[in-house]
Amino acid sequence: MWDEQGTQYLDAFAGLWCVNLGYGRKELIDAASQQMAQLPYYNLFFNTSTEPVINLAKTLASIAPAHINNAFFCGSGSEANDTVFRMVRRYWDLKQQPTKKIFIGRHNGYHGSTVAGASLGGMGYMHKQGDLPINGVVHINQPYWFGEGGDLTPEEFGLQRAQELESKILEIGADNVAAFVAEPIQGAGGIIIPPSTYWPEIQRIVKKYNILLVVDEVICGFGRTGNWFGCDTLDIKADLMPIAKGLSSGYLPIGGVLIADHVAETFKQENSGDLNHGFTYSGHPVCAAVALANVNIIRDENIIENVQQNTGPYLAAQLQRLSDHPLVGEVRSAGLLAAIELVKDKTSRSRFDSKGTAGSSCRDHALANGLILRATGDTMLLSPPLVITNTEIDQLISKISLALDNTYNDLTTPK
Ligand code: PXG
């Protein structure tokens, strides 16, 4: 990318976790203009559909886990989570279990900025505005070992945090709980990769208490973690998967919810009636055409295999070399999603302060050095386009090294 002065940047954040094919892919631009010329708009409401939407749905069914073969389309990740909210409650009504209405999300989870999305998410700074969360949404703690694990091993901690779900269900009563909602790996919250014990235990619990499992794939989906979905990487069987961002590489706004067969069947049964939900731009044909072209390129150019076998492991190995840096408490990654924790003391994992000074200083030094990344507190976040090469990863690492050195100097030089 180049700014208005012509300064060049490496965008190691892919716009906002989304420009997975990188900027300037002609095929995506052509897909948009061709569809625009052929049919710029038609709705999906009255038993009608359009070709790009039908083909996109078919293609998504072919790449999603085997038990997922239906899609609902909308305009964004937030709308996808609002759709989940309405769909899940309607599902339990149709199942004759109308008391199952409460959603359990996680503190520091992110599911969007609409009323339902921000409520399902657990961002305190969002909840403070507008009296959120709305009724019927509660939260448990996150599986963030580095920040909150204390003296427990990651495995012990992962189990403990997963078991908070069971305690919460017992407190509310399983007959009142509709769904558990979580990202496979938290994105905006700080690229938090749960300990290996976490997801197996969560899945045991949702099964035991007959709770739907909503796995938000808005960031993890479409190759980010080295498989089509975060669910594939972490071996999670979801009932509903919100998607957006990498679905179109951000070229046009489109989101959706991928729906497991047993849930979709409930809505298709005779006497179920319509789910009275949808948006003017649900399955917008131009957005769908671009999404379809995007998914086809990811598949035909073996981009996911390359992330899994080449660039992902290469990034992990290069990041590992930064762990000796005095500021670095941990590096972690899954595919091309990576975090660097900045600390004052490596052993106790303590921070310089609670204001995220180290993180924002590192981000500013990186930017001054031509590298775009994001800081959440003192956690540096990387989510480069999936087409990044190993040579570009070398450039990324040398720019981060310099930013770390400059940050360390700032923090340790007496003023
Ligand atoms: N779910 C997840 C997991 C997300 O990351 C959304 C839903 C909402 O998608 P839309 O398309 O409505 O924005 C997201 C979005 C950040 C940041 O600061 C992250 C997102 C959005 C804005 C800022 O990292 N993620």
Side-chain angles (χ1 to χ4, degrees):
M1 305 202 81
W2 289 263
D3 68 13
E4 74 277 23
Q5 271 109 35
T7 309
Q8 193 184 8
Y9 297 91
L10 190 115
D11 179 11
F13 202 57
L16 191 64
W17 320 86
C18 58
V19 188
N20 289 356
L21 286 187
Y23 300 92
R25 281 300 298 234
K26 190 165 181 305
E27 299 93 322
L28 301 188
I29 299 158
D30 290 347
S33 69
Q34 279 162 21
Q35 186 57 44
M36 201 61 127
Q38 185 167 19
L39 180 71
Y41 177 78
Y42 203 74
N43 75 70
L44 300 191
F45 273 81
F46 313 109
N47 290 321
T48 50
S49 191
T50 61
E51 224 176 287
V53 176
I54 293 167
N55 291 334
L56 178 61
K58 272 192 197 157
T59 303
L60 292 176
S62 75
I63 61 171
H67 68 288
I68 294 183
N69 291 289
N70 288 267
F72 176 93
F73 293 108
C74 56
S76 68
S78 299
E79 283 180 12
N81 281 295
D82 274 55
T83 297
V84 159
F85 200 91
R86 301 199 57 207
M87 205 175 259
V88 165
R89 287 189 164 177
R90 179 67 185 148
Y91 168 85
W92 287 118
D93 282 348
L94 291 172
K95 286 285 189 190
Q96 312 299 327
Q97 289 179 270
T99 60
K100 283 176 90 66
K101 288 283 153 66
I102 296 178
F103 290 82
I104 303 178
R106 302 185 299 183
H107 296 299
N108 202 38
Y110 191 84
H111 301 291
S113 194
T114 49
V115 171
S119 292
L120 293 170
M123 296 299 180
Y125 62 89
M126 294 175 90
H127 289 173
K128 274 193 196 137
Q129 300 177 349
D131 303 314
L132 300 179
I134 51 173
N135 271 341
V137 184
V138 298
H139 299 84
I140 59 171
N141 286 310
Q142 57 179 341
Y144 181 27
W145 177 80
F146 189 86
E148 301 174 359
D151 292 332
L152 296 179
T153 64
E155 290 73 26
E156 289 165 346
F157 178 72
L159 211 54
Q160 191 187 79
R161 285 287 157 103
Q163 284 164 356
E164 282 195 21
L165 177 60
E166 188 156 30
S167 310
K168 188 57 91 180
I169 292 169
L170 293 173
E171 180 192 318
I172 301 168
D175 287 349
N176 299 318
V177 181
F180 175 60
V181 184
E183 302 150 80
I185 292 170
Q186 284 155 264
I191 309 195
I192 294 164
I193 305 175
S196 61
T197 46
Y198 183 77
W199 275 111
E201 182 66 359
I202 291 286
Q203 296 192 85
R204 179 190 71 76
I205 296 167
V206 292
K207 222 169 171 180
K208 178 169 175 191
Y209 296 101
N210 195 21
I211 310 289
L212 289 179
L213 179 57
V214 181
V215 183
D216 185 334
E217 294 275 3
V218 168
I219 285 179
C220 291
F222 302 97
R224 177 56 57 196
T225 67
N227 287 288
W228 276 108
F229 295 99
C231 279
D232 301 321
T233 301
L234 297 177
D235 199 16
I236 307 168
K237 191 165 183 193
D239 297 307
L240 295 162
M241 303 198 312
I243 53 173
K245 292 193 189 275
L247 169 59
S248 65
S249 283
Y251 276 56
L252 281 176
I254 181 167
V257 182
L258 299 183
I259 306 157
D261 296 345
H262 76 98
V263 177
E265 287 314 317
T266 305
F267 286 98
K268 290 178 187 171
Q269 274 163 20
E270 243 177 282
N271 306 325
S272 287
D274 286 339
L275 173 68
N276 297 321
H277 175 65
F279 305 100
T280 303
Y281 300 126
S282 281
H284 191 289
V286 181
C287 302
V290 169
L292 183 60
N294 174 65
V295 173
N296 285 338
I297 292 174
I298 295 175
R299 191 189 47 217
D300 298 345
E301 295 186 2
N302 298 321
I303 284 173
I304 294 177
E305 290 79 355
N306 192 44
V307 170
Q308 187 186 86
Q309 287 157 28
N310 178 22
T311 47
Y314 188 75
L315 175 66
Q318 301 312 305
L319 281 173
Q320 211 52 54
R321 292 180 26 213
L322 300 176
S323 1
D324 289 339
H325 193 282
L327 263 188
V328 175
E330 181 181 84
V331 296
R332 54 177 182 264
S333 67
L336 289 180
L337 204 51
I340 305 169
E341 296 280 7
L342 308 186
V343 288
K344 187 171 181 189
D345 181 81
K346 284 174 186 260
T347 320
S348 64
R349 315 199 292 267
S350 60
R351 309 287 189 179
F352 282 90
D353 59 33
S354 59
K355 292 182 296 191
T357 307
S360 41
S361 161
C362 184
R363 183 205 51 215
D364 293 348
H365 281 301
L367 194 64
N369 194 26
L371 177 69
I372 300 170
L373 42 67
R374 168 146 157 41
T376 287
D378 288 335
T379 314
M380 309 314 296
L381 310 181
L382 296 172
S383 168
L386 302 185
V387 293
I388 193 169
T389 62
N390 288 347
T391 311
E392 287 159 345
I393 290 175
D394 288 340
Q395 291 165 12
L396 189 162
I397 294 290
S398 74
K399 285 174 189 292
I400 289 187
S401 282
L402 185 57
L404 288 170
D405 289 346
N406 292 339
T407 305
Y408 187 69
N409 286 341
D410 281 359
L411 292 167
T412 53
T413 310
K415 297 228 161 60

